[in-house]
Amino acid sequence: MRARIFRERLSITISMPIIFAFWGNLLAQTPIFSSETITFEVSDTLCVVSARYSFQNRSEMRSKSRLFYPVPISDDLPFPNRFQVQSLKSSSTIPFLIHKEGISFLLEIDPFSEEQIYVKYWQVAKGQQFAYILKSTQHWSRALDWAVYEIRIPNSLELKSCSLDIDSTRVDSNYFIYRITKQNFMPEKDFEFMWGNQK
C-alpha cells in the first residue's frame, strides 16, 4: 500500500513531458546518449545521486545542445538542495539554469568525439522513498548501450522494495550495496525504491 501511494503521488510529476533530452541543437548534429552509471546513496531521509552520462558526436561538425535534466518533484521529494554539473573530459564545471522541475545546461562535443558529463544532486526523501526518471531515454529514440545503477544503503537500514531486478548484492563495513546492470536498455518505467529501518 505504501508503495502504491508513493507512485500515485509521483505520477503527477513524472507523467509530464519533461525529459533528459535536447531542447534544441544550436548546431546541426544531435548527440547520441550512449550510457549512464548512477549511484544512489541514501541516509535516513536524504538521497545523494551521483551520475555519469556518456554522449557521442559522430559528425564532422561540432555539436552544441541544451539539455534539460528533470527530477521528480512531490511533497515527499522536494526540489534538490544542491546540484553539481561537470565535464569529466575537461574537468571543468558546467554552468546550469534552474527550472521548476529540473535544470538545463549546454553540452558541447567536438567532431567524432565523446563527452562524459557528471551530475550530482542532493534530494530530501521524507518518506524514505525515491524516484529517478528513466523513461526520458525514449525521447532519444535509441536504447542505451549499457546502464549501471547502484543503491548504497547504510547497514543500519534495509532496502524495502526496488522497481528494477537486482543483479548483485554485497556488503562493506558501512553499506549494503545493490547493483543493477542493463544492456541495450530502453526503459519502460521510471526507477523507484524504498528503504527503512531493519526489522
Side-chain angles (χ1 to χ4, degrees):
M1 175 63 73
R2 186 181 181 193
R4 182 179 65 82
I5 293 172
F6 179 53
R7 284 194 294 271
E8 288 175 352
R9 286 176 178 172
L10 284 177
S11 65
I12 298 174
T13 297
I14 63 181
S15 63
M16 295 177 65
I18 54 176
I19 57 174
F20 180 17
F22 54 91
W23 272 0
N25 216 358
L26 306 183
L27 296 178
Q29 178 64 24
T30 297
I32 294 172
F33 179 27
S34 58
S35 64
E36 62 185 12
T37 301
I38 305 173
T39 298
F40 305 88
E41 185 170 329
V42 307
S43 58
D44 185 31
T45 57
L46 179 71
C47 185
V48 180
V49 179
S50 302
R52 179 184 303 221
Y53 305 99
S54 294
F55 299 89
Q56 299 173 1
N57 178 11
R58 298 179 181 175
S59 167
E60 62 184 10
M61 296 181 62
R62 191 164 184 264
S63 172
K64 187 175 183 180
S65 306
R66 176 162 290 277
L67 304 188
F68 178 61
Y69 187 99
V71 291
I73 306 298
S74 69
D75 291 341
D76 288 334
L77 290 173
F79 195 88
N81 298 331
R82 180 184 174 194
F83 277 97
Q84 291 179 357
V85 185
Q86 183 180 16
S87 164
L88 295 179
K89 185 175 181 179
S90 64
S91 299
S92 60
T93 298
I94 298 176
F96 58 86
L97 300 175
I98 297 176
H99 305 275
K100 184 178 180 180
E101 294 172 325
I103 62 171
S104 67
F105 55 88
L106 285 178
L107 173 67
E108 302 183 64
I109 314 176
D110 291 332
F112 303 111
S113 298
E114 182 177 39
E115 175 66 279
Q116 291 194 336
I117 301 296
Y118 177 75
V119 177
K120 185 173 184 179
Y121 64 92
W122 291 253
Q123 190 168 18
V124 170
K126 296 179 181 179
Q128 296 182 313
Q129 306 164 96
F130 198 74
Y132 179 82
I133 297 174
L134 287 181
K135 290 190 297 183
S136 58
T137 303
Q138 297 173 9
H139 295 272
W140 292 82
S141 301
R142 182 185 184 276
L144 293 171
D145 294 339
W146 53 266
V148 177
Y149 309 104
E150 188 173 273
I151 305 171
R152 298 173 60 88
I153 294 182
N155 53 25
S156 60
L157 303 171
E158 66 178 5
L159 186 66
K160 298 291 188 180
S161 66
C162 183
S163 63
L164 295 176
D165 293 334
I166 296 170
D167 296 310
S168 65
T169 305
R170 61 187 175 92
V171 182
D172 67 14
S173 58
N174 298 308
Y175 290 92
F176 296 111
I177 302 170
Y178 304 89
R179 190 176 179 88
I180 300 159
T181 304
K182 300 290 185 182
Q183 292 184 335
N184 192 30
F185 185 42
M186 179 63 81
E188 296 181 353
K189 58 183 178 180
D190 293 310
F191 184 31
E192 300 175 11
F193 61 92
M194 300 170 57
W195 65 96
N197 295 326
Q198 294 191 28
K199 295 180 180 179

